[in-house]
Amino acid sequence: MTQQARRRDAAGTRRALLDAARHRFATNGYAATTVRDIADEAGVNVSLISRYFMSKEGLFEACLTGAVDEFDRSVTPGITLDELPRTMVRHLADDSGKTRLLLLLRSSGDAAADQVRRNVMRNFAERLVAATGLEADDALLRAEFVLATALGLVLMRTVIGVQPLAAADQEDLVTPLGDVITGLLRPTPRAS
């Protein structure tokens, strides 16, 4: 693609920058990734990062937000507890879904980027509570346990490669993840 054609495709350039940034941040972490690395991988001028994302931190935030938005699109209001595990497993087993979640696991070494990560994760937990209609006093804590389980699943399968978990296919994961999610998101009566 020529430089002139690229200039006319703002959405394509933005998408290329996001794809390159997700890959770099997930592979190398925030601190070790430079904006030049990202621009080079995307095949664009480094100044376009400032144009579309304001800064490296803004690009990182867009990557994290995109990761959560992917899950958010599948965790729609009214989703049942029975549907949630299959939906989550589909995203956790997908290569792009794994890359997005690895972004959330990588240490950034930057206080502002870490705050972005905390905000994004809290926002997703709140969306999960709203989607499932959980009304327990500890609903947010329970949703964060679900997220911790999902992130741990990706870590164990992708980074550590623990068997048989790493070799399990999507169907193998649905029932055990469903047991965990149901256990966490179905409130139990408290003793008075």
Side-chain angles (χ1 to χ4, degrees), residues 22-44:
R22 280 185 200 110
H23 174 256
R24 289 289 180 153
F25 289 141
T27 304
N28 303 331
Y30 181 85
T33 298
T34 68
V35 290
R36 183 157 308 283
D37 292 337
I38 294 166
D40 287 349
E41 185 169 323
V44 302

Side-chain angles (χ1 to χ4, degrees), residues 71-83:
F71 283 102
D72 195 42
R73 278 193 284 279
S74 62
V75 180
T76 56
I79 191 168
T80 68
L81 286 177
D82 292 335
E83 297 166 328

Side-chain angles (χ1 to χ4, degrees), residues 4-172:
Q4 186 175 4
R6 222 178 263 259
R7 236 179 276 138
R8 291 187 189 139
D9 185 11
T13 300
R14 191 174 196 287
R15 193 171 36 256
L17 284 167
L18 279 169
D19 289 344
R22 280 185 200 110
H23 174 256
R24 289 289 180 153
F25 289 141
T27 304
N28 303 331
Y30 181 85
T33 298
T34 68
V35 290
R36 183 157 308 283
D37 292 337
I38 294 166
D40 287 349
E41 185 169 323
V44 302
N45 187 298
V46 71
S47 67
L48 293 175
I49 291 174
S50 293
R51 176 184 290 172
Y52 294 115
F53 303 100
M54 304 299 283
S55 64
K56 177 180 170 181
E57 183 182 307
L59 181 54
F60 185 67
E61 181 174 9
C63 289
L64 291 178
T65 301
V68 172
D69 287 347
E70 270 302 306
F71 283 102
D72 195 42
R73 278 193 284 279
S74 62
V75 180
T76 56
I79 191 168
T80 68
L81 286 177
D82 292 335
E83 297 166 328
L84 188 58
R86 186 167 303 284
T87 299
M88 288 185 77
V89 164
R90 188 174 60 248
H91 289 284
L92 296 173
D94 173 75
D95 284 339
S96 64
K98 286 187 282 192
T99 299
R100 287 183 180 106
L101 284 173
L102 287 173
L103 282 173
L104 299 172
L105 293 169
R106 295 291 297 197
S107 172
S108 71
D110 181 89
D114 287 339
Q115 185 59 48
V116 167
R117 176 183 324 194
R118 281 189 293 277
N119 292 343
V120 166
M121 292 302 291
R122 179 162 181 107
N123 186 356
F124 183 71
E126 289 169 351
R127 290 176 184 185
L128 186 57
V129 168
T132 58
L134 186 62
E135 295 181 10
D137 291 340
D138 61 351
L140 189 59
L141 177 64
R142 290 169 176 270
E144 288 174 350
F145 267 98
V146 169
L147 294 178
T149 301
L151 291 171
L153 182 63
V154 169
L155 180 67
M156 297 281 286
R157 286 173 55 88
T158 307
V159 177
I160 301 170
V162 172
Q163 295 298 340
L165 190 60
D169 65 19
Q170 289 186 30
E171 286 304 312
D172 294 332

